[in-house]
Amino acid sequence: MDAAPKKLLVVFALSVFLPAVALAVLAYGSVARERRALTAERAGALTATGARIRRGLSSALEELRRTEEERPWFHYNALYFEPDQIGKGLSYQLSPLADGNAHPLVETWSHFQIDPAGSVSSPTPPRQSIAQTAQIRRNEPVDEAASPRPPADAQKDALARSARNVEQVQEKVLPRVRTAQQLVVQDGKGRFPEEFARNFRQWTNRKGAVANQQSEESVRDIIEGKKQTFENDLPEEEILSVEVSSLRFEELPDFGIYAYRYVDAPNETGGYGGQPVLRFVQGFRLDLDHIRGTLFPALVAADLDPAGAKVSLVPALESVPAGVAWEEPVPQLPGYRIVVEDTEPGWVGERVARLSFLLIGIAALLLLVIAGGLSFTLRAVRQEVRLARRKSDFVAAVTHELRTPLTGIKMYADMLKAGWVKDEETRDDYVGFMAAETDRLARLVNRVLDFARTERGETAVGLVDLAEPILEVERDFGPWMREKGFTLEVDLATKRPAVANADAVKQILLNLLENAVKYAPDATDRTIRVAVRDAADGIDISVIDRGPGVPEEERERIFAEFYRPGEELTREAPGAGLGLALVRRLAESMGGSVEVGDTPGGGATFRVHLQIGV
């Protein structure tokens, strides 16, 4: 391989390899950036979902906190007295908590109150069950006959649940709040433990304070019809303040999450050891079944985004799967946290894979285009290199072809001019040689001109009787061939006209016959035949020789411009490499074709196919 093609090959390889590396680096960087962006986007979406649901749950619980913090302290009594009532005969009212429907987030019948003596009570269930509730609180057997109307099954269940709640508060809540409840002195009113961030003030009059503090003692008497009003002879309606702490949520094992507050009220009855300030503890238990089964699923359904996210409310001690995307505790639900899982961990990978496939496809397409373009360019350059080499060979061959006859012509002309040739016969030989060499030069020049003419497409065609140009060639070229020792035979087996140009047909035959003479100087059979035969779709003109033939691998290349087999400096046959190229162009300009094959017994057969006239 020559140096130039090697350099072209190296340039071609680098031209494909370097863009491939650059595209691979760019694609890898793009995929990595997209993976990071999608991962951050996915994590952000999952985090935002968890945060929104957490805010929604916290908001619902904070609304409950505000509602219960505003609830009057005396609503935790089974019967209560409205402090703004005026008159000596004061009627008691049933607590609004008695029906068990205080709030959907509060467990039914779970409100409780711990008095300064440490006794636990609960706002009673429906009115007709107040007596049974009072008996349960005093651990007395339930006397259903004491009630005006026997409770239905639902009311019995409510009584039982209220009683169980009182027992559980007595067992689990009281030990936790009792110490803080007893630390009340005269100047300590409204000073609650530090974890209660705020305190509130509710107002009452002296009659209301006494009536509400005695309401628990009046329950049974009122149900039995013995007492329905509160009578007192208090001289004045002094306005008193009751200090109420904020509501605190806390978790207890085997009890759940409960909320409670402290209430500091003036001791207007003189009971409970005569302490000037009485501290009550009031609270309720959260309905975790409702929160986890209704409220939380509704929040999740409203805010679940993106697809593939799973949001759960789980106990803090419960283990969660590895790879949780986000988790945060809920301050209003101590012991619980919100967990967000990604149920589609391959979400990012799938999108990155699609992007990678797209980038790989684009890169492959670009590389294919680059490789195709460079391959086409390399082929074109190589063809130009070969064409330049052939043109160089052509120039060398034409120069050689011109120099040889010109040298001979000049030499004989100089001899004749100088008068060195005295003999008439010798002078005639010299003149004949000069004429022959001049004809040779004319043929060479005409061949170049004919080749140029075919490139410009200047061949005019019509219906031609092939016998005329073939016989003219035999007449004009036959003597020259006989001088070279060859015999020309013509076989006209058809007289149908062909679509051709007479001059082009003669030029084709002259080039083929000259080639046959040139390349078969050592042939034993020196007969060259020109045969005209009918073909299936036209007429074939064949030039048949008995020379060395044309190797199969050369049969296409010999028709290329300026192509000559072998090396230029060692080639024995003269020529410029235009003869067969001119034959092909002339044949194609007339709508025909040319091919070469073997002659049976040895030699080459050049067959020119022409169309027939209609």
Side-chain angles (χ1 to χ4, degrees):
M1 184 180 289
D2 295 341
K6 287 183 179 178
K7 290 181 180 179
L8 288 174
L9 186 60
V10 171
V11 171
F12 176 76
L14 291 177
S15 300
V16 175
F17 176 74
L18 293 179
V21 172
L23 286 174
V25 172
L26 291 175
Y28 178 80
S30 298
V31 170
R33 287 193 297 273
E34 187 67 14
R35 182 183 295 277
R36 289 194 296 269
L38 288 175
T39 300
E41 176 187 342
R42 183 70 172 176
L46 295 172
T47 299
T49 296
R52 286 196 305 271
I53 295 174
R54 180 173 176 267
R55 285 196 301 270
L57 183 57
S58 296
S59 177
L61 292 170
E62 282 299 320
E63 181 186 358
L64 169 65
R65 186 203 296 270
R66 288 191 299 270
T67 301
E68 290 299 324
E69 284 177 347
E70 294 172 358
R71 183 179 298 280
W73 61 277
F74 44 80
H75 280 187
Y76 281 80
N77 296 329
L79 299 172
Y80 74 94
F81 162 74
E82 285 286 355
D84 58 354
Q85 292 188 20
I86 300 176
K88 292 186 177 181
L90 305 177
S91 298
Y92 282 101
Q93 301 181 37
L94 184 66
S95 171
L97 300 177
D99 61 3
N101 297 321
H103 196 281
L105 300 183
V106 177
E107 188 171 327
T108 307
W109 316 120
S110 69
H111 284 82
F112 64 88
Q113 176 173 276
I114 302 174
D115 64 21
S119 298
V120 181
S121 62
S122 175
T124 59
R127 181 184 300 273
Q128 61 268 29
S129 304
I130 292 178
Q132 286 86 344
T133 304
Q135 290 176 311
I136 291 173
R137 293 193 185 113
R138 293 192 293 269
N139 293 323
E140 298 176 359
V142 176
D143 183 9
E144 295 188 3
S147 176
R149 293 187 299 275
D153 292 340
Q155 294 164 348
K156 289 182 179 179
D157 293 340
L159 284 172
R161 290 176 64 181
S162 179
R164 284 195 302 270
N165 181 64
V166 169
E167 293 173 2
Q168 289 178 331
V169 171
Q170 182 79 29
E171 178 184 351
K172 299 180 181 297
V173 179
L174 182 60
R176 296 184 62 86
V177 302
R178 188 62 178 151
T179 301
Q181 185 184 18
Q182 292 174 333
L183 296 177
V184 181
V185 294
Q186 177 64 43
D187 58 353
K189 179 183 177 183
R191 295 184 180 180
F192 306 112
E194 293 181 0
E195 59 266 27
F196 294 86
R198 305 180 305 278
N199 66 305
F200 308 89
R201 180 169 294 179
Q202 298 182 9
W203 302 97
T204 185
N205 54 42
R206 190 176 299 278
K207 282 187 179 181
V210 173
N212 284 316
Q213 289 173 13
Q214 293 180 352
S215 63
E216 286 296 317
E217 300 174 3
S218 306
V219 169
R220 186 166 187 177
D221 290 341
I222 291 174
I223 291 301
E224 293 176 353
K226 297 178 180 179
K227 184 178 182 181
Q228 297 184 5
T229 60
F230 173 73
E231 298 289 344
N232 70 83
D233 296 322
L234 295 175
E236 57 181 327
E237 296 293 332
E238 182 180 349
I239 301 301
L240 305 175
S241 67
V242 177
E243 304 293 333
V244 182
S245 74
S246 60
L247 204 62
R248 175 178 173 81
F249 294 95
E250 192 168 325
E251 182 191 29
L252 282 177
D254 301 326
F255 184 73
I257 298 175
Y258 69 102
Y260 67 99
R261 67 179 180 179
Y262 291 105
V263 177
D264 286 356
N267 186 2
E268 295 299 323
T269 64
Y272 300 107
Q275 289 288 338
V277 177
L278 303 178
R279 173 162 291 180
F280 298 86
V281 180
Q282 299 174 341
F284 54 86
R285 181 159 39 180
L286 292 180
D287 190 345
L288 286 178
D289 291 338
H290 177 81
I291 292 174
R292 300 183 66 178
T294 303
L295 174 62
F296 187 76
L299 294 172
V300 171
D303 283 316
L304 187 59
D305 181 61
K310 179 183 178 182
V311 186
S312 307
L313 181 64
V314 299
L317 299 179
E318 182 177 311
S319 60
V320 296
V324 168
W326 182 87
E327 60 174 319
E328 285 290 340
V330 182
Q332 296 82 359
L333 284 180
Y336 282 84
R337 56 183 171 167
I338 293 179
V339 174
V340 181
E341 301 176 55
D342 189 356
T343 58
E344 295 182 2
W347 185 87
V348 173
E350 291 176 1
R351 282 150 184 80
V352 170
R354 287 202 294 267
L355 176 63
S356 301
F357 180 78
L358 177 62
L359 291 178
I360 290 174
I362 294 174
L365 181 60
L366 289 177
L367 285 177
L368 185 62
V369 172
I370 293 173
L374 291 175
S375 176
F376 177 79
T377 303
L378 179 62
R379 179 177 298 179
V381 170
R382 292 181 65 181
Q383 288 178 350
E384 288 297 326
V385 170
R386 286 197 297 267
L387 183 60
R389 183 177 300 163
R390 290 175 186 174
K391 288 182 178 180
S392 177
D393 292 345
F394 166 73
V395 172
V398 169
T399 302
H400 176 74
E401 290 290 313
L402 291 174
R403 184 176 54 191
T404 300
L406 286 175
T407 301
I409 291 172
K410 187 176 185 309
M411 181 184 67
Y412 285 114
D414 289 342
M415 291 173 64
L416 290 173
K417 181 179 178 182
W420 291 355
V421 180
K422 305 298 184 181
D423 183 66
E424 191 69 28
E425 184 177 352
T426 303
R427 183 183 292 109
D428 291 340
D429 289 341
Y430 284 3
V431 172
F433 174 79
M434 293 169 64
E437 290 301 299
T438 302
D439 290 340
R440 178 180 172 187
L441 288 174
R443 285 197 303 271
L444 178 60
V445 172
N446 287 333
R447 189 171 298 164
V448 174
L449 294 175
D450 291 338
F451 183 80
R453 191 179 299 112
T454 59
E455 282 194 326
R456 295 194 298 268
E458 296 179 357
T459 304
V461 297
L463 294 180
V464 175
D465 183 359
L466 297 178
E468 294 181 5
I470 292 174
L471 293 177
E472 286 184 17
V473 170
E474 181 185 19
R475 183 190 64 214
D476 298 337
F477 205 64
W480 179 82
M481 292 180 63
R482 286 192 291 272
E483 288 181 8
K484 299 294 184 180
F486 287 86
T487 301
L488 176 60
E489 293 183 356
V490 176
D491 181 7
L492 296 171
T494 181
K495 294 188 177 182
R496 290 194 301 169
V499 178
N501 180 282
D503 292 335
V505 172
K506 288 194 296 184
Q507 190 64 38
I508 289 173
L509 289 174
L510 288 174
N511 281 284
L512 292 178
L513 291 173
E514 185 177 359
N515 257 27
V517 172
K518 184 191 306 183
Y519 288 100
D522 300 327
T524 55
D525 185 353
R526 292 191 161 210
T527 301
I528 299 176
R529 296 178 61 244
V530 176
V532 181
R533 296 283 188 274
D534 287 329
D537 55 348
I539 298 175
D540 288 342
I541 303 174
S542 300
V543 177
I544 306 165
D545 65 48
R546 294 294 180 177
V550 180
E552 188 172 353
E553 64 274 9
E554 296 280 345
R555 291 179 181 176
E556 182 62 29
R557 287 183 288 185
I558 61 175
F559 293 101
E561 300 89 356
F562 315 120
Y563 179 79
R564 303 178 72 205
E567 294 295 330
E568 188 64 34
L569 296 178
T570 60
R571 189 180 296 111
E572 296 180 358
L578 287 178
L580 293 179
L582 182 59
V583 169
R584 167 174 281 183
R585 290 206 177 183
L586 288 171
E588 290 177 350
S589 69
M590 296 183 292
S593 61
V594 62
E595 62 181 5
V596 62
D598 292 329
T599 299
T605 299
F606 285 84
R607 183 175 296 105
V608 179
H609 180 77
L610 298 176
Q611 298 178 6
I612 59 174
V614 179

